[in-house]
Amino acid sequence: GDLKKIFGAWEILPTPRTGQHLVIYESYVDPGGLIPLGLIRWRSKQKAGAMAERLRSWIEGQPLQDNAGKDS
C-alpha cells in the first residue's frame, strides 16, 4: 500500500530434464518515498519465495494436458 508502483511477470521455460521447468519471476518496484531499498529487496525475496511455492502447488494440482499436434 505504501509503494508508488509495483509490477512483475512470470516466465516458465522448458529444461533438458523431462518434466522439469525453470520458473523466472521478475518484479519492478518504485517505492516513491523514503523506504530503504534494502528493506524492499529483502521483503520482495520473501514474498517471491512464497509465491513460487503457491504456484508449484497450483501447478501440481492441475490435470495434465495433451498438446501433441496442436499449433501454438
Side-chain angles (χ1 to χ4, degrees):
D2 295 336
L3 300 174
K4 185 176 179 181
K5 290 182 190 175
I6 183 168
F7 59 94
W10 291 95
E11 187 174 5
I12 303 173
L13 304 171
T15 68
R17 293 181 167 182
T18 302
Q20 292 188 5
H21 291 76
L22 175 64
V23 177
I24 299 171
Y25 177 70
E26 291 183 79
S27 66
Y28 302 90
V29 178
D30 179 357
L34 302 175
I35 302 171
L37 293 178
L39 179 61
I40 292 171
R41 284 188 190 107
W42 173 75
R43 187 65 177 134
S44 296
K45 286 181 182 181
Q46 284 185 323
K47 287 190 170 220
M51 285 189 303
E53 288 296 326
R54 287 192 303 270
L55 177 64
R56 181 179 183 163
S57 294
W58 180 82
I59 289 170
E60 289 174 344
Q62 299 303 305
L64 294 176
Q65 294 180 356
D66 182 6
N67 292 325
K70 294 185 180 180
D71 292 333
S72 297

